[in-house]
Amino acid sequence: MQPKVYVTRRIPESGINLLQQSCDVEIWDSDDVVPRDVFLEAVADKDGVLCLLTDKVDAETLDVAKNAKIFANMAVGFDNIDVDECTKRGVMASNTPGVLTDTTADFAFTLLMAAARRIREGHEFVHAGKWETWGPLLLMGQDIHHATLGLIGLGRIGTEMARRGQGFSMRVIYNDVVRREDLEQELGLEYADFDTVLKESDFVSLHVPYMPATHHLISTEQLALMKESAILINTARGAIVDPQALYTALKSGEIWAAGLDVTEPEPIPMDDPLLTLDNCLIAPHIASASFNTRNDMSELAANNILAALSGKRPPTILNPEVLEDS
């Protein structure tokens, strides 16, 4: 009998096709988040689960999913999975790093450029029929070339963001819990403490994982350190930024603009005050949303499941100690 796999959302067909070659696959056939009660009922008899960042994998889930050998997250972030709890129960967890690095860095830099040069405001200006002539003072923005790009986090995506900054002759400074002197030499980066990055940067881009230590890492105190002309970019996780503090800073002119692909909460409520600001550009968590990358993500998640169900090591397992203990 084929192993049973549950997929919690419609995903690119390439990943589904891989799974269907050797598994009995059940899919939540919707673009909406699977309801919690449906999710718990569906995973009860499954050997593997391909889940998304919107699916909470916690003790309650694991109590129900007694047959599950792996929860494979189709995302690089995995704050939705209690990895420690999975490990205690001998259940593998995995994510999809690497395959979305360049695409996410592309989008982060796109947000940076769009916020700096007021692209959304210009688009709306034209569509509102307001463009009557060329204006010397119309929608002036911030220069990107030769500006200082500050990176909070220098993992895969942060490193690629640095490379993109170099293409615009930017000075790139960074802060990370691990200093990367090899990348400083290779890319000409400057290491600085957290406060210095905030104070000296024209653009601050966030590339840290979400965890208790990074919850509201950027709040009132940190925003006050930034330049009035500074732009904040977040393609990591919404809760890394305190949304009320950000609204206050943007509204008062304490910082100049923000470009967000992630919010707290998600999706952002339509009455959220951030949506009232012209200097806050918000996208619906689409940094990895290219055809090639989403296909690659679905295939990697599927291959993690297939490996686990065949007794092999999943390519991007998060808790390899489960294999060592077995």
Side-chain angles (χ1 to χ4, degrees):
M1 187 168 61
Q2 290 184 325
K4 295 181 178 181
V5 172
Y6 186 59
V7 180
T8 67
R9 196 83 65 86
R10 291 173 183 161
I11 65 170
E13 284 296 320
S14 56
I16 297 296
N17 292 339
L18 282 173
L19 291 171
Q20 288 178 332
Q21 291 175 19
S22 57
C23 301
D24 179 5
V25 181
E26 178 185 346
I27 304 169
W28 172 246
D29 192 20
S30 173
D31 293 324
D32 296 325
V33 178
V34 57
R36 181 67 175 174
D37 59 335
V38 175
F39 173 72
L40 292 176
E41 181 179 356
V43 302
D45 65 340
K46 299 303 186 291
D47 301 291
V49 179
L50 193 157
C51 54
L52 306 184
L53 54 89
T54 49
D55 306 311
K56 194 72 173 175
V57 179
D58 53 10
E60 181 187 33
T61 305
L62 296 167
D63 284 342
V64 171
K66 297 186 183 299
N67 295 336
K69 296 179 177 62
I70 183 169
F71 284 85
N73 222 35
M74 197 181 117
V76 64
F78 51 90
D79 48 285
N80 59 306
I81 298 179
D82 188 335
V83 178
D84 290 340
E85 191 66 31
C86 286
T87 303
K88 289 178 187 177
R89 303 185 189 220
V91 177
M92 287 173 269
S94 64
N95 64 338
T96 58
V99 294
L100 51 68
T101 297
D102 283 307
T103 299
T104 302
D106 284 350
F107 194 83
F109 210 85
T110 298
L111 276 180
L112 182 156
M113 296 177 70
R117 298 304 305 274
R118 303 175 70 177
I119 299 298
R120 178 179 64 85
E121 292 173 80
H123 176 83
E124 292 175 352
F125 187 85
V126 171
H127 281 259
K130 296 179 180 179
W131 187 21
E132 297 178 352
T133 184
W134 181 84
L137 302 179
L138 178 62
L139 293 172
M140 293 191 295
Q142 305 290 349
D143 275 331
I144 300 160
H145 62 277
H146 300 148
T148 297
L149 172 61
L151 302 172
I152 305 299
L154 196 69
R156 293 182 180 92
I157 298 169
T159 299
E160 291 307 314
M161 190 68 167
R163 295 185 196 278
R164 283 149 181 76
Q166 287 183 320
F168 284 75
S169 301
M170 300 180 86
R171 173 195 177 208
V172 183
I173 61 178
Y174 79 98
N175 179 263
D176 194 287
V177 292
V178 177
R179 183 169 179 176
R180 295 294 304 275
E181 294 185 15
D182 57 331
L183 291 175
E184 291 172 31
Q185 292 294 321
E186 177 188 348
L187 302 176
L189 311 183
E190 301 174 33
Y191 176 82
D193 62 61
F194 181 66
D195 287 358
T196 298
V197 172
L198 297 178
K199 290 175 182 177
E200 296 189 6
S201 298
D202 299 298
F203 301 90
V204 175
S205 191
L206 306 177
H207 301 284
V208 294
Y210 179 68
M211 59 184 70
T214 59
H215 179 75
H216 289 184
L217 179 69
I218 303 297
S219 192
T220 302
E221 180 181 348
Q222 293 73 37
L223 291 163
L225 294 175
M226 294 171 62
K227 298 178 180 179
E228 289 186 0
S229 58
I231 297 173
L232 178 69
I233 304 298
N234 188 12
T235 54
R237 284 292 184 267
I240 294 169
V241 177
D242 179 343
Q244 293 182 338
L246 179 61
Y247 170 78
T248 299
L250 290 168
K251 180 72 172 177
S252 67
E254 193 167 42
I255 67 171
W256 197 74
L260 311 176
D261 185 48
V262 287
T263 59
E264 183 193 26
E266 284 187 16
I268 190 168
M270 291 308 297
D271 61 353
D272 192 297
L274 286 173
L275 294 176
T276 67
L277 301 176
D278 289 335
N279 59 344
C280 188
L281 174 61
I282 302 176
H285 205 147
I286 55 172
S288 65
S290 74
F291 290 107
N292 289 338
T293 293
R294 287 287 170 86
N295 281 330
D296 289 345
M297 290 170 67
S298 71
E299 290 173 16
L300 180 52
N303 281 322
N304 277 319
I305 290 176
L306 294 172
L309 297 185
S310 61
K312 299 176 182 177
R313 180 190 177 101
T316 52
I317 188 171
L318 292 166
N319 52 350
E321 55 269 35
V322 169
L323 298 176
E324 297 165 4
D325 294 338
S326 61

